[in-house]
Amino acid sequence: MTRTAPKGLMVNSLSVRYGRRPVLAGICAGPFPHGAVCAVLGPNGSGKSTLLRAMGGLLRATGTVTLDGVDLTPMPLALRAQHCLYLPQALPEPVRLSVLDAMLAARHATGRQGRTSTAEDINAAMACLHDVGIAHLATQSLHTLSGGQRQLAGLAQALGRKPRALLLDEPLSALDPYYQQTVMALLRRETAQRRLVSVIVLHDLNMALNQCDLACLLHNGRILAYGPPAEILTPEHLRTVYRIEARVDEGENGQRFISTSGVV
């Protein structure tokens, strides 16, 4: 009987050390499924960004990362990014390229297109900008955009490269509430429509509770819990991991929120 390969993104026995200091210790996580937004949660220093960078192949690590049963670990970084693309917390300094030119450059970075942009490339790039809601900014220079607009442009570039999995490291951290909601709504929609695996590092626990399908909670370099956010963000886990006294309440509109009453 043939065994079916597991679907989604999986991490197996992943360990990372910075010098002699272990940061991640034999992490096993997933599967992070297609069509779902999965939050990586934990306090500062718990290894969230390290986990995402290791999953993206940007750090020296032991263990394996698989996508739909295919081992990504031995792949060269450029090839790995075609399958599983990492977006850093701080986007590169904006250059004096237009949004459309940046989109085309990102498409050529995959190696799937030639060096010269064709009408098909331009149409595909414009379609992606339209999906993200910033087609009207196509001719505007990146360095003139607001932080929220730049985050949307970065997400459009990533989607334009057509990965099967996206790793987003705190994409909401420098945004105002309007753009936080805008980026998150866009990510949820595109993840569902494109059947992406989307893994996002978040500090906003209420955002994770209400906008994410799954969550994994890091504590001291290990995963303490994985599952639906409402089952993960319990008073006991909040006390253990974040050292706060808190409870999860539900508003009249069905939205959940965490109320804190002090520190442990």
Side-chain angles (χ1 to χ4, degrees), residues 64-150:
T64 61
V65 179
T66 62
L67 180 59
D68 298 333
V70 177
D71 188 0
L72 304 180
T73 312
M75 293 182 182
L77 186 58
L79 177 59
R80 186 167 177 165
Q82 293 181 17
H83 300 275
C84 182
L85 183 62
Y86 170 83
L87 273 72
Q89 176 181 355
L91 295 175
E93 284 298 313
V95 294
R96 292 181 182 271
L97 281 178
S98 71
V99 172
L100 177 57
D101 285 339
M103 284 290 300
L104 295 171
R107 280 177 61 82
H108 295 314
T110 65
R112 295 170 179 166
Q113 290 82 24
R115 292 180 179 273
T116 304
S117 297
T118 64
E120 182 182 354
D121 292 329
I122 294 172
N123 289 338
M126 286 302 301
C128 195
L129 290 174
H130 182 271
D131 289 343
V132 176
I134 56 170
H136 63 290
L137 299 177
T139 60
Q140 194 162 322
S141 179
L142 282 173
H143 80 280
T144 66
L145 301 184
S146 69
Q149 290 171 332
R150 282 188 61 210

Side-chain angles (χ1 to χ4, degrees), residues 199-233:
V199 184
I200 176 172
V201 171
L202 286 176
H203 274 297
D204 188 332
L205 301 182
N206 290 319
M207 184 74 76
L209 263 177
N210 294 292
Q211 301 294 332
C212 294
D213 304 295
L214 293 165
C216 75
L217 186 58
L218 282 175
H219 180 54
N220 293 335
R222 298 180 184 275
I223 291 182
L224 178 67
Y226 174 69
E231 297 178 10
I232 297 306
L233 294 173

Side-chain angles (χ1 to χ4, degrees), residues 122-202:
I122 294 172
N123 289 338
M126 286 302 301
C128 195
L129 290 174
H130 182 271
D131 289 343
V132 176
I134 56 170
H136 63 290
L137 299 177
T139 60
Q140 194 162 322
S141 179
L142 282 173
H143 80 280
T144 66
L145 301 184
S146 69
Q149 290 171 332
R150 282 188 61 210
Q151 195 64 255
L152 290 172
L155 190 52
Q157 290 176 47
L159 293 171
R161 295 174 67 172
K162 298 183 178 179
R164 288 183 291 147
L166 273 179
L167 309 173
L168 300 101
D169 192 356
E170 296 192 48
L172 310 183
S173 61
L175 304 185
D176 63 33
Y178 171 82
Y179 274 110
Q180 286 181 358
Q181 295 293 331
T182 300
V183 169
M184 200 66 197
L186 169 70
L187 180 62
R188 285 178 56 82
R189 188 191 74 210
E190 295 299 316
T191 296
Q193 290 182 355
R194 298 169 185 255
R195 300 298 297 166
L196 290 170
V197 177
S198 291
V199 184
I200 176 172
V201 171
L202 286 176

